[in-house]
């Protein structure tokens, strides 16, 4: 179980650009479930992932994986329990290494190793079997440098690398957004097969409402760092979800406008006084 408690994050604290992204944010995610995270650009989705994976420190709060508070661990220590796939297919892989080297590195995640000792022949069969499961023929290209693969092939490899040492939590940050519709569907299906088979607890950021309904066990929507919707996919059609999504954004903008109007009034009063 992932339990996020009272998480807060403000960028540029005390400066003119101060930007409070989270204020006492809490969320519980049941084990083995896939939760889709929706929300408009800039609402804090990737920031949330960065605080879970450890590339960003929260100002306060806890991120409990079981009874371990990830916030107290370094990014490297967290890498054993967390897997992440980003939007950019080049990010989760080492471009200048070949497929075998990339997969070998993923198997050594969380352990110290030297490049010389990267390839461990006894792992090769496992790597080949895993690659075969992708059904893209990558097992026949073990010595191909990853930079020569297509975006879809790289993203599949990245997904496999993030899950080969079963993580306690998998973070997918718009991981199919940069792919063409056919490849995007292929990667989504592979993702679904993998996380269901391995029972991996998954958070999946997506702007694709159809995918959220089709693949997630639960859908939440963030707006301005708050959960404004928390539903089961079976409760909505894609059209209903689109309507609710747009309403929630408008509500959020309305509240923001009210807030700045009242702040404006306050400033006027301050000036008069
Ligand atoms: N490292 C950072 N330094 C300063 N500000 C940041 C940093 N990371 C994110 N922000 C700010 O935090 C807010 C939330 O950004 P975030 O990237 O989490 O949004 P998002 O919901 O992932 O948006 P998108 O859908 O566009 O990916 C934005 O205002 C962004 O400018
Ligand atoms: Mg983002």
């Amino acid at each position: 179980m992932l339990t996020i408690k009272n998480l807060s994050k403000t960028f540029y604290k005390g400066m003119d650009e101060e930007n409070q992204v989270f204020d006492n944010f809490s969320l519980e995610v049941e084990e083995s479930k896939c939760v889709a995270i929706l929300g408009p650009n800039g609402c804090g989705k990737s920031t949330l992932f960065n605080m879970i994976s450890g590339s960003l420190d929260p100002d306060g709060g806890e991120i409990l994986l079981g009874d371990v508070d990830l916030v107290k661990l370094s990014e490297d220590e967290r890498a054993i329990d967390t897997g992440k796939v980003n939007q950019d297919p080049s990010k989760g892989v080492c471009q200048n290494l070949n497929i075998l080297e990339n997969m070998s590195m993923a198997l050594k995640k969380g352990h110290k190793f030297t490049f010389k000792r990267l390839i461990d022949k006894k792992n090769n069969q496992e790597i080949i079997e895993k690659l075969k499961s992708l059904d893209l023929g990558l097992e026949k290209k073990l010595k191909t440098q990853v930079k020569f693969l297509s975006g879809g092939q790289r993203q599949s490899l990245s997904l496999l690398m993030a899950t080969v040492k079963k993580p306690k939590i998998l973070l997918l940050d718009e991981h199919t957004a940069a792919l063409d519709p056919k490849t995007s569907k292929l990667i989504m299906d592979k993702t679904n097969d993998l996380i269901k088979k391995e029972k991996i607890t998954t958070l999946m950021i997506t702007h694709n409402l159809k995918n959220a309904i089709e693949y997630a066990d639960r859908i939440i929507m963030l707006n301005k760092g708050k959960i404004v919707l928390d539903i089961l996919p079976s409760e909505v059609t894609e059209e209903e979800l689109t309507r609710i999504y747009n309403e929630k954004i408008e509500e959020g903008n309305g509240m923001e406008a009210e807030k700045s109007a009242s702040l404006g009034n306050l400033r006027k009063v301050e000036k008069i006084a």
Side-chain angles (χ1 to χ4, degrees):
M1 168 101 106
L2 172 75
T3 311
I4 298 175
K5 277 192 203 164
N6 306 325
L7 205 64
S8 301
K9 181 74 192 172
T10 300
F11 292 107
Y12 310 115
K13 220 173 205 160
M15 300 162 88
D16 285 349
E17 309 86 337
E18 184 167 300
N19 182 7
Q20 184 182 63
V21 183
F22 288 103
D23 181 23
N24 276 317
F25 176 85
S26 297
L27 171 70
E28 276 191 4
V29 178
E30 258 183 276
E31 216 151 298
S32 315
K33 297 288 180 203
C34 174
V35 179
I37 303 183
L38 313 177
N41 297 126
C43 73
K45 303 177 300 295
S46 298
T47 301
L48 178 65
F49 275 20
N50 291 337
M51 290 192 285
I52 297 173
S53 67
S55 55
L56 265 181
D57 290 325
D59 301 329
E62 294 175 319
I63 303 174
L64 300 166
L65 209 44
D67 49 11
V68 176
D69 186 0
L70 294 183
V71 174
K72 299 201 170 104
L73 304 182
S74 69
E75 192 174 357
D76 282 348
E77 285 168 325
R78 290 185 213 193
I80 302 171
D81 289 334
T82 57
K84 196 172 181 193
V85 187
N86 289 301
Q87 181 175 349
D88 182 349
S90 63
K91 278 214 171 131
V93 289
C94 285
Q95 304 276 19
N96 290 324
L97 298 187
N98 64 36
I99 293 180
L100 182 64
E101 289 163 340
N102 268 280
M103 284 298 289
S104 302
M105 219 163 53
L107 278 172
K108 297 206 156 125
K109 192 165 93 166
H111 300 281
K112 287 207 166 83
F113 61 89
T114 58
F115 189 71
K116 247 178 157 180
R117 295 179 152 237
L118 181 59
I119 307 289
D120 195 342
K121 277 197 180 142
K122 70 176 184 339
N123 290 333
N124 288 8
Q125 199 47 42
E126 182 187 352
I127 289 173
I128 289 168
E129 291 309 317
K130 295 270 180 195
L131 288 168
K132 268 190 190 162
S133 73
L134 287 178
D135 220 3
L136 294 170
L138 294 183
E139 69 280 1
K140 294 180 202 126
K141 299 184 173 177
L142 290 178
K143 296 286 167 72
T144 303
Q145 274 184 315
V146 166
K147 65 181 170 203
F148 297 119
L149 300 180
S150 71
Q153 287 172 328
R154 258 182 286 183
Q155 206 60 332
S156 310
L157 182 64
S158 183
L159 179 70
L160 203 56
M161 289 170 65
T163 52
V164 69
K165 300 277 277 184
K166 185 182 163 182
K168 289 194 179 145
I169 181 108
L170 177 64
L171 305 169
L172 305 173
D173 193 346
E174 298 187 48
H175 76 306
T176 63
L179 307 171
D180 68 67
K182 192 169 162 236
T183 314
S184 163
K185 165 102 177 71
L186 184 99
I187 304 292
M188 227 13 270
D189 286 335
K190 302 234 172 278
T191 307
N192 191 47
D193 291 348
L194 226 151
I195 61 180
K196 291 285 173 277
K197 190 167 140 232
E198 302 279 336
K199 295 190 172 55
I200 302 174
T201 312
T202 304
L203 294 180
M204 176 175 79
I205 296 174
T206 181
H207 290 293
N208 186 321
L209 306 189
K210 187 168 180 279
N211 279 353
I213 292 181
E214 194 174 338
Y215 296 100
D217 299 304
R218 175 182 167 198
I219 301 173
I220 64 171
M221 177 182 172
L222 298 187
N223 197 13
K224 305 194 192 305
K226 302 239 175 316
I227 296 177
V228 292
L229 184 72
D230 190 344
I231 51 164
L232 299 176
S234 57
E235 293 174 330
V236 278
T237 61
E238 193 188 337
E239 289 84 59
E240 283 163 348
L241 185 57
T242 309
R243 182 180 49 75
I244 299 170
Y245 182 94
N246 290 329
E247 276 172 14
K248 294 284 174 195
I249 292 178
E250 269 175 37
E251 272 171 31
N253 290 344
M255 272 162 55
E256 198 65 12
E258 254 174 50
K259 208 166 104 188
S260 59
S262 63
L263 265 177
N265 285 339
L266 196 70
R267 283 190 188 122
K268 269 185 219 153
V269 173
E270 275 172 1
K271 269 190 186 166
I272 293 165

